[in-house]
Amino acid sequence: MSYRAFRKRVRSWIAQAGGDLSVRFSTDRESGRHYALCSDGTKIMGNSKCLRMEVRWGSGHRAFTPAV
């Protein structure tokens, strides 16, 4: 997924959750990975080659989103 699509998807999730979270986006162009760091400590990671994303929170918890 493109970096633009990644940002749009993450912003949509935050809006649906209704939380007052701020998000800082970054990307690593060499590896093709995209990152979203939320103000509550949640990390969301995506990749330019795959639609699936990984969400990490708390002390070692993680989940994968389905490829949509």
Side-chain angles (χ1 to χ4, degrees), residues 3-59:
Y3 182 58
R4 177 183 241 170
F6 173 78
R7 290 187 336 212
K8 184 177 178 182
R9 198 174 196 193
V10 170
R11 286 183 181 140
S12 172
W13 287 348
I14 302 250
Q16 288 176 0
D20 291 330
L21 297 175
S22 62
V23 182
R24 192 176 71 216
F25 294 97
S26 64
T27 187
D28 181 2
R29 293 178 189 247
E30 289 183 22
S31 68
R33 298 209 27 114
H34 313 305
Y35 303 95
L37 304 173
C38 301
S39 58
D40 68 348
T42 303
K43 297 175 188 175
I44 303 170
M45 292 162 278
N47 193 318
S48 60
K49 297 180 182 178
C50 181
L51 295 177
R52 190 174 71 169
M53 298 191 318
E54 179 182 359
V55 181
R56 292 185 181 186
W57 72 96
S59 59

